[in-house]
Amino acid sequence: MSTDVNGSSASAASTARPQAWADSTIEHHVSAAARIEHVAVPIGTDTAARALAHGPRGALALASISVGLLFVGWLLFYFVLFIPRGPVG
Amino acid sequence: MADHVDNPLRRPLPDGIVPEVEVARTEDRWLTVVLSMLGVMMAIIVVSGALHALHPPSNVETIDATTLHLGGEFAESNLGTAAEPDGSVTVRMIAQQYSFVPDCARIPLDTPVKFRITSPDVIHGFLLPGTNVNTMVVPGYVAEVRTTFSRPGVYDMPCNEFCSSGHHGMWARVTAVPSEQFPHLSPVERTSCAKQ
Amino acid sequence: MQNSSRLALYHLWVAFALFLPAIVLGAWQMLMRSPLPAPLDDTNAYYTSVTLHGTVMAYAVTTFFAMGFGYAVTATSLARPVRGVIAAWIGFIICLVGAVMAVVIVLLGRATVLYTFYPPLLGSLWYYFGALLLIGGSMIWVVLMIYNMLTWKRDNPGEPVPLAMFAITATAILWAWSASGVIVELLFILIPQALGISTLIDVGLGRTLFSVTLHSIVYFWLMPAYIAFYTLAPQAAGGRLYSDTAGRLTFIMLLVFAVPVGLHHVLQDPDIGPGFKFLQSFLTFFVALPTLLTVFTICASMEIAGRARGGRGLLGWLWALPWQEPMVLAVALSLVMLGLGGFGGFINMSYAMNNMIHNTAWVTAHFHLIWGGATVIMYFAIAYEMWPRITNKPLRSKTLACWQLWLWFAGMLIVTIPWHVTGVMAMPRRVAAFDYNDPFVAPMGPLVIISVIGGLILLVSAILLITILVLSQLGERRLSEPLRYALAVNPPRTVPASLNGFALWNCILLVFMVLAYGYPIGQFLFLKSSVPAFEVTRQATSAGVK
């Protein structure tokens, strides 16, 4: 594991790897998030661009709903459960 | 699922599927939304805290834990409910392993109540269900909690901090009665449930 | 096996080997405090079990897991062996000795002080010494994470540090800041007392020092899970990380805001004034920010994967995700629990609203949901990713792994949701036995029983986890597939120094700590209120030492 980030010679990986990749050595390592060979089977640039054509609107919807529920829940707890229990100090 | 990949070493770095500017803008927009929500929550806490007198009990006052029983404010004769000149009441209790003294306090409704509790031994705590009374009782310090009761009845008062092996048996009670039924106390008198 | 691999594996094995017995203890505790009959019905045993369960889960499992994960991340993301392996092994031995010492002395019933060991309760010296070795020994790991990141930066000038390495180093630095509170408490208050060098304890000072650790430690636990969110999950789903920058900002914000907010754990204390309680409550709102940022960024990253797999519509991409991948399933289940647990956290930190639930069952339910649930389920997912890479043996069965994750999720919700409700009903915490005939306690009984059922489900899930890991490691098939980190939508070519290192953020954190904790700790220099210790080194209840 320690030196075999981008594929080892004894590859039994489920997808076929080009020989060049298996033989590659790292002369100059860069961020794993920057070099495509450190990522197994990244989705292609076109596919990713199509996915994000309208921005991450699904994520915005999902995150907004969750955070919205959290906010409403907090307001309910605050005004329905907490304040009626009386003053404290 | 993946597009076919030829020798990836020769493939140019993917060049901005979505311009970083746009990603940053989306993230910033999201940050603004959540920061606003947090801001509203903080504002509610500040305003309602001021309006409804809501603070965590934060009186900082030291006391000698080893001489509590000898005299002073927490001598046994001074424990229980006392009437203050301004019409409020002060309930003084000791929290010790493994009971509260007195173990039943009587207080009037719709009257400002101040609990003053300390411990001669280890950390205890107490809460009153259905109210916001909840505090730690730390030896060497006097815990002070102020509230007003609006519902009559008996409130269970468990110790809610581990104080060693008898912790689970450490329960007291607070009885809240309408102020007409609460005895009129002289400045030196103290009352608890035992006294009628 | 490579030395780095062995290093990671041994740490992870210690973590999981301690995990399963601690779960058994937890299940027994749930039964003990319920209306149902339990074997070994002894309240002293209950408190000892709470101490042991807490010590193992809060200090041992978490620290060993973080260390093992850290070494694994270092080796894989930097694509070279861990530097300082000898120091790492020395650290491992020290931590292991400390953990064993603490476990044994608690089992002997001589340190029933709970994992928060609030003085003036005083357990055996060996407990504190063991804790000091475990926590102090992990500082070697902290230094090695920083050292490995710095040497890589020196060897790769101008390059962005891989996000996973950046994040685990942030985790390590956070742990150092966090542990400082408990280490000072151990070194200057508890151990001298246990040795008999000092005769009095300033309880307020002890609690305030410990509060430095008490909140930030949960972020030490949480950050490995977030590392998986950012760097492993998008990859496992077949997508891209939406924003590498958001990842860096998240870990920076966690570092800066998680530490100077510990007072919100002692909002009810009579030894801290309202001003600083309010200040730290205010700062606590900012520590919610990185989590809220993460929720969105990870959803966006998953959305890329879902849409790339053919998902359509506003939320239709969710169904297109590869749910048979343990990492993907774990992220979704974790985010649900993070939402519920985070909601509880918002209640806890809202200044006076804390009064409603302080030291009730709500608190215990909250941290079981958010740590035991959201975080630990990611530990499982990380284990399922790491084991094959470290041992070169594939996971025995992804289906079984997914079943194990679902069982954990269901069990955790069944345990914690009724538990939260009993908290709102004002059930006190850390109580060994309740009189369920008492009219106040009686309505809580059915809820507690439901939690017990959930606890048994968790126990089954934990047994299944260990079984999967053992069977995988003992398997015959060979696998050699490297660990893959997620590629960002815009992979960084360069990042500003502020997003590539921690010098600036450490300085800012130092300023925050002085502002937020300077007076709350310094005040004890002139408040000067100390009390004698209460020794619990023997089982019998004896009067405190006067």
Side-chain angles (χ1 to χ4, degrees):
Chain A
M1 169 194 87
S2 54
T3 51
D4 292 340
V5 168
N6 63 337
S8 79
S9 47
S11 175
S14 47
T15 53
R17 299 267 180 269
Q19 190 60 28
W21 194 355
D23 288 341
S24 68
T25 55
I26 307 158
E27 345 71 51
H28 174 64
H29 180 95
V30 293
S31 162
R35 281 276 279 262
I36 209 162
E37 67 268 21
H38 294 164
V39 184
V41 215
I43 61 174
T45 312
D46 302 332
T47 321
R50 267 200 307 276
L52 280 179
H54 304 286
R57 54 200 176 97
L60 278 167
L62 197 55
S64 304
I65 294 170
S66 326
V67 173
L69 284 172
L70 189 150
F71 185 46
V72 168
W74 185 89
L75 289 170
L76 281 172
F77 260 67
Y78 201 86
F79 290 103
V80 174
L81 279 181
F82 169 54
I83 298 235
R85 289 189 181 201
V88 65
Chain B
M1 179 215 88
D3 298 351
H4 175 67
V5 175
D6 53 354
N7 186 351
L9 282 176
R10 297 217 192 88
R11 215 179 144 167
L13 199 61
D15 223 9
I17 293 162
V18 171
E20 182 61 22
V21 159
E22 200 177 306
V23 169
R25 198 158 29 113
T26 313
E27 294 278 0
D28 284 343
R29 207 173 284 153
W30 176 249
L31 267 174
T32 311
V33 167
V34 296
L35 264 173
S36 315
M37 180 192 77
L38 295 175
V40 169
M41 286 166 137
M42 278 307 292
I44 290 176
I45 287 175
V46 169
V47 170
S48 71
L51 275 180
H52 297 277
L54 294 163
H55 307 275
S58 307
N59 175 55
V60 181
E61 189 183 328
T62 59
I63 194 168
D64 185 347
T66 54
T67 58
L68 291 180
H69 55 294
L70 293 179
E73 184 181 0
F74 290 93
E76 180 135 18
S77 54
N78 203 32
L79 298 177
T81 310
E84 300 295 330
D86 63 359
S88 67
V89 300
T90 303
V91 182
R92 292 184 179 84
M93 281 182 158
I94 284 189
Q96 62 189 18
Q97 289 168 316
Y98 299 101
S99 63
F100 292 93
V101 180
D103 71 349
C104 181
R106 203 149 50 121
I107 51 99
L109 289 177
D110 305 313
T111 311
V113 176
K114 183 197 298 183
F115 289 90
R116 285 177 62 80
I117 303 200
T118 186
S119 163
D121 45 38
V122 299
I123 300 178
H124 301 272
F126 78 97
L127 59 74
L128 295 173
T131 73
N132 285 319
V133 174
N134 193 339
T135 190
M136 303 303 294
V137 182
V138 177
Y141 298 85
V142 179
E144 188 177 288
V145 191
R146 288 177 295 262
T147 190
T148 303
F149 289 78
S150 51
R151 277 186 307 107
V154 177
Y155 294 77
D156 286 85
M157 183 172 141
C159 172
N160 62 353
E161 181 55 85
F162 178 66
C163 47
S164 198
S165 52
H167 167 60
H168 48 278
M170 191 167 161
W171 292 70
R173 289 184 323 282
V174 170
T175 307
V177 298
S179 25
E180 317 81 65
Q181 293 174 27
F182 189 77
H184 185 77
L185 297 171
S186 75
V188 299
E189 268 183 291
R190 302 286 175 262
T191 185
S192 64
C193 303
K195 300 184 185 154
Q196 290 302 328
Chain C
M1 191 184 290
Q2 299 277 358
N3 220 351
S4 304
S5 308
R6 191 175 289 127
L7 196 55
L9 189 67
Y10 277 42
H11 280 87
L12 293 176
W13 263 126
V14 171
F16 286 105
L18 289 170
F19 181 71
L20 184 57
I23 293 281
V24 173
L25 286 177
W28 175 76
Q29 284 162 228
M30 304 219 70
L31 203 54
M32 244 310 265
R33 63 187 290 274
S34 76
L36 302 171
L40 191 60
D41 195 335
D42 177 54
T43 54
N44 284 326
Y46 179 86
Y47 294 123
T48 300
S49 180
V50 174
T51 305
L52 192 52
H53 175 83
T55 303
V56 167
M57 290 300 201
Y59 297 133
V61 167
T62 45
T63 308
F64 276 96
F65 182 85
M67 294 194 288
F69 183 53
Y71 291 128
V73 165
T74 304
T76 51
S77 68
L78 302 184
R80 59 191 206 183
V82 172
R83 304 237 169 133
V85 164
I86 296 181
W89 280 114
I90 292 173
F92 174 76
I93 301 290
I94 294 174
C95 292
L96 190 58
V97 166
V100 169
M101 205 184 279
V103 165
V104 168
I105 201 71
V106 173
L107 273 174
L108 291 175
R110 297 182 49 201
T112 303
V113 292
L114 306 190
Y115 80 97
T116 41
F117 38 80
Y118 288 135
L121 290 178
L122 191 73
S124 160
L125 171 68
W126 299 109
Y127 178 67
Y128 302 117
F129 199 51
L132 185 66
L133 286 181
L134 172 57
I135 297 172
S138 67
M139 295 299 123
I140 294 177
W141 169 80
V142 168
V143 169
L144 287 177
M145 292 295 106
I146 298 171
Y147 175 67
N148 274 269
M149 182 173 122
L150 287 178
T151 49
W152 185 90
K153 280 177 76 172
R154 183 201 60 205
D155 297 340
N156 298 274
E159 297 290 346
V161 176
L163 179 59
M165 188 66 207
F166 183 79
I168 198 72
T169 310
T171 309
I173 295 174
L174 174 87
W175 178 225
W177 280 98
S178 170
S180 63
V182 70
I183 289 178
V184 169
E185 188 194 9
L186 284 168
L187 279 177
F188 294 103
I189 297 182
L190 292 166
I191 291 178
Q193 185 77 34
L195 283 171
I197 295 173
S198 62
T199 52
L200 295 174
I201 297 183
D202 186 335
V203 179
L205 177 60
R207 283 176 67 81
T208 308
L209 283 171
F210 190 71
S211 79
V212 171
T213 304
L214 195 50
H215 189 76
S216 43
I217 195 172
V218 317
Y219 285 90
F220 169 54
W221 302 339
L222 186 65
M223 280 160 92
Y226 279 22
I227 295 175
F229 281 171
Y230 277 99
T231 65
L232 296 176
Q235 167 58 26
R240 303 267 209 138
L241 171 61
Y242 185 62
S243 168
D244 177 271
T245 310
R248 290 170 196 270
L249 283 174
T250 290
F251 289 100
I252 288 167
M253 280 196 274
L254 287 173
L255 171 62
V256 167
F257 288 116
V259 194
V261 297
L263 287 187
H264 72 244
H265 283 250
V266 292
L267 282 173
Q268 312 302 328
D269 263 40
D271 42 80
I272 312 271
F276 281 92
K277 285 178 181 174
F278 183 76
L279 171 65
Q280 293 207 7
S281 295
F282 176 72
L283 286 175
T284 309
F285 274 86
F286 287 96
V287 84
L289 212 50
T291 295
L292 294 169
L293 184 63
T294 299
V295 164
F296 169 69
T297 306
I298 301 310
C299 282
S301 310
M302 289 298 164
E303 183 178 359
I304 295 172
R307 292 198 189 282
R309 294 172 67 88
R312 298 270 171 273
L314 189 64
L315 294 174
W317 51 272
L318 280 168
W319 278 257
L321 287 170
W323 294 109
Q324 73 281 7
E325 289 294 325
M327 178 62 75
V328 176
L329 179 63
V331 169
L333 300 178
S334 174
L335 285 175
V336 171
M337 292 189 283
L338 188 64
L340 292 169
F343 164 71
F346 268 104
I347 304 295
N348 298 346
M349 75 186 199
S350 294
Y351 199 51
M353 184 145 62
N354 184 277
N355 282 48
M356 204 168 64
I357 45 75
H358 174 70
N359 268 1
T360 64
W362 170 282
V363 176
T364 330
H366 162 74
F367 65 72
H368 277 85
L369 178 59
I370 198 143
W371 181 73
T375 303
V376 162
I377 207 171
M378 290 308 297
Y379 285 10
F380 298 160
I382 289 171
Y384 291 143
E385 285 286 318
M386 286 294 170
W387 241 262
R389 271 74 185 198
I390 301 174
T391 59
N392 291 326
K393 310 257 180 82
L395 204 56
R396 175 54 68 103
S397 163
K398 280 187 182 173
T399 313
L400 215 52
C402 287
W403 267 103
Q404 187 268 323
L405 295 170
W406 273 112
L407 275 176
W408 191 260
F409 174 71
M412 193 53 74
L413 290 183
I414 296 172
V415 165
T416 56
I417 290 177
W419 213 352
H420 276 94
V421 176
T422 61
V424 174
M425 294 163 75
M427 187 179 225
R429 72 183 281 212
R430 296 170 157 172
V431 170
F434 289 95
D435 177 8
Y436 285 99
N437 294 315
D438 181 287
F440 172 61
V441 185
M444 304 173 190
L447 294 167
V448 176
I449 292 175
I450 296 173
S451 291
V452 172
I453 297 170
L456 293 173
I457 298 174
L458 290 179
L459 181 56
V460 169
S461 177
I463 294 171
L464 192 53
L465 164 83
I466 303 298
T467 308
I468 295 170
L469 294 176
V470 169
L471 286 181
S472 302
Q473 184 150 350
L474 295 177
E476 290 299 319
R477 284 164 43 202
R478 300 281 311 167
L479 170 84
S480 186
E481 187 169 321
L483 188 69
R484 312 291 185 180
Y485 289 102
L487 187 69
V489 160
N490 291 304
R493 286 189 183 81
T494 60
V495 292
S498 56
L499 295 183
N500 214 30
F502 297 102
L504 170 67
W505 307 112
N506 277 317
C507 291
I508 291 180
L509 179 52
L510 181 62
V511 170
F512 274 177
M513 285 301 283
V514 169
L515 285 176
Y517 263 109
Y519 182 80
I521 292 177
Q523 63 171 348
F524 294 106
L525 283 173
F526 55 87
L527 277 179
K528 281 199 206 309
S529 184
S530 297
V531 301
F534 177 78
E535 289 183 29
V536 298
T537 47
R538 272 150 282 281
Q539 278 284 27
T541 46
S542 48
V545 176
K546 288 276 184 232

